[in-house]
Amino acid sequence: MPQLVRKGVRIDDSFAEAFPMSGTGLIITAPNRKWAMIAAHTMTGFATSVIGCGCEAGVDAELSVKETPDGRPGVRVLLFAMSSKDAEKQLVNRLGQCVLTCPGTAVFRALDGEFEIKVGDAVRQFGDKWQISKALDGRRYWRVPVMDGEFLVESKVGLTKKCVGGGNLLVMGEDWDTTMRATEAGVEAIRGVAGAITPFPGGIVRSGSKVGSNYKGMGASTNDAYCPTLSGLGTSVLDPDIGCVLEIVIDGLTDAAVAEAMRAGLKAIIALGPKHGAKRVGAGNYGGKLGPFHYHLKDLLP
Amino acid sequence: MKPFLFALRQEPSQRLDLSRLTPDRLVGRTQKEIEAIDIGTTKVDAKVADLFKVRVGDPRVLHFEGGSERLDLLGAKLLPGFTIHVEGDVGAQLGRGAQGGTITVAGDAGAFAASGMTGGHIDIGGDCGDFLGAPLAGEIAGMAGGRVVVGGNVGQRAGDRLRRGIIIIEGDAGADLGARAIAGTIIALGAATGRIGYLNKRASLVLAQGGDFGPTYVDCGAHHFTFARLFSRALGEDSRRASRLLSQKLRRFAGDTAVLGKGEILTPA
């Protein structure tokens, strides 16, 4: 594969291929950072891939007391799914089971989209007719009595169909430690980009997949071309100096957010250099025929 | 562009109906046409030109120079995006049925201010008469949205049958504040007397001064309310004192249990 070199790191002349998704988000606040984060992590747990989890979700940003509607510490979480129906189902389920249950929390909308999802209007009935609503500046909130006080939840949150899922970087290094160091640096940089999340564990996936399988009925299987233990075989695309490959998958509220996240990740990975970090960076695609969004690495280089 | 100005020539000899002078109804009209509008309420003619000196300007921003307690229905059915400022007093039914926009009155307002209002913002610098936000005779519900801030005192039955919206009273409230309120929020920073929240269904009355609310309000203890923090932040620009009151730990008296009982009176703990 033709390559460019930046600071000794080889960059594939390739592109990430991404897909349109429906996205929504919440601002979760709590009396302190700890419990806001616990709610956010619980809600976005088991949300790595739409294939098996129904949605992809993650923490977008931690918010200071000045940035939240109620002046308490908060977290903005984003949730993406293949359809608005899936997004609504997942959000309401996760809100009901993970945030309503979490001590001290309150929930507000994180974005205004073309559509709205009923969240408070769905969980309010937990209040068994003791719930009361409050309207403020054209937005409605439900106060649901719970055992630690009240659960305050906005009646509706925004949903947009303009989201992009599947931006990615394939980080290739000599061994697990150096590759992980570079990938972690990339994820850390992406964390600073607003409107983009990395839904996999710690933002990193090691089981990158290809479309199709040798088994009947399996839609996806291991990306053998990038498996280092198969590197000597004809199907491999790995160079002899690559012993580990990790992938960062990015979902964003907009096309620009995904591009910005990939740019930030690439910059951080390259800054680490090939000795202590990655030797090569690539991107996953399906030949450009499946997804309408293409992010060419050469356009995103620092 | 300068605001559209109406300067009062002298104290009107009759009550005036200013509902025809809201900014949205002046757009596209010439000065002559505006000056010919009849705003009288008696058999005696009262044209705009007889009572006001008119200076044409941006019709989205109306200024009234000089006020009178005979200027009724000012800003009635006001629409979003329009602004009215009065340098003086106004009469009854200020902002009656307003749907949006902003009305600021430097002086006092008469009875039934913000009656039937569904949106917008009314700021009264002075005192306000009886029945603030209340329904007129025969109407089921009172104010149903928007925000009213009164810098001074208000008369009796403020927030009567309040349906939705926020009323902030920085001074004292007359008897029966929030009586028959259906929902919404009333914040009173001065004293309140009479049957406070009488037959209140779902409204929140936040009072800076506690008191005896009668046997149909039941003490539910002192709590930190997240919704109060949300309101505290949102109301900071309208009233700093109201914002401070809402940020405190509040004691909740649930009621009026003589009716639905899902409302409350909140006072500092």
Side-chain angles (χ1 to χ4, degrees), chain A residues 29 65-72 104-106 108 129-137 140-141 143 150 152, chain B residues 147 164-166 183-185 202-204 223 225-227 229-231 233-235 252 261-264 266:
Chain A
T29 67
V65 293
K66 286 183 181 162
E67 295 168 300
T68 56
D70 62 357
R72 305 192 301 168
T105 56
F108 306 95
K129 295 197 174 176
W130 292 104
Q131 75 275 15
I132 44 179
S133 88
K134 282 278 143 209
L136 183 66
D137 297 329
R140 177 171 293 284
Y141 304 86
R143 293 165 58 190
E150 281 182 344
L152 183 73
Chain B
R147 207 178 282 183
R164 208 176 291 115
I166 302 164
T185 307
R202 278 188 301 268
S204 301
H223 310 278
F225 289 94
T226 314
F227 96 91
R229 293 186 65 111
L230 179 73
F231 273 56
R233 181 155 278 212
L235 301 180
R252 180 171 196 263
K262 282 169 75 176
E264 63 197 350
L266 301 169

Side-chain angles (χ1 to χ4, degrees), chain A residues 226-296:
Chain A
Y226 284 88
C227 292
T229 55
L230 306 175
S231 61
L233 302 172
T235 53
S236 182
V237 297
L238 298 181
D239 311 308
D241 62 344
I242 304 299
C244 177
V245 181
L246 295 170
E247 184 175 356
I248 304 173
V249 174
I250 301 156
D251 296 334
L253 287 176
T254 58
D255 181 17
V258 174
E260 189 51 41
M262 283 183 65
R263 184 177 285 120
L266 254 182
K267 189 180 173 189
I269 292 164
I270 290 168
L272 217 54
K275 200 173 168 192
H276 301 291
K279 289 188 179 298
R280 181 181 156 193
V281 181
N285 60 62
Y286 311 95
K289 286 176 188 161
L290 291 177
F293 301 101
H294 298 166
Y295 301 97
H296 288 267

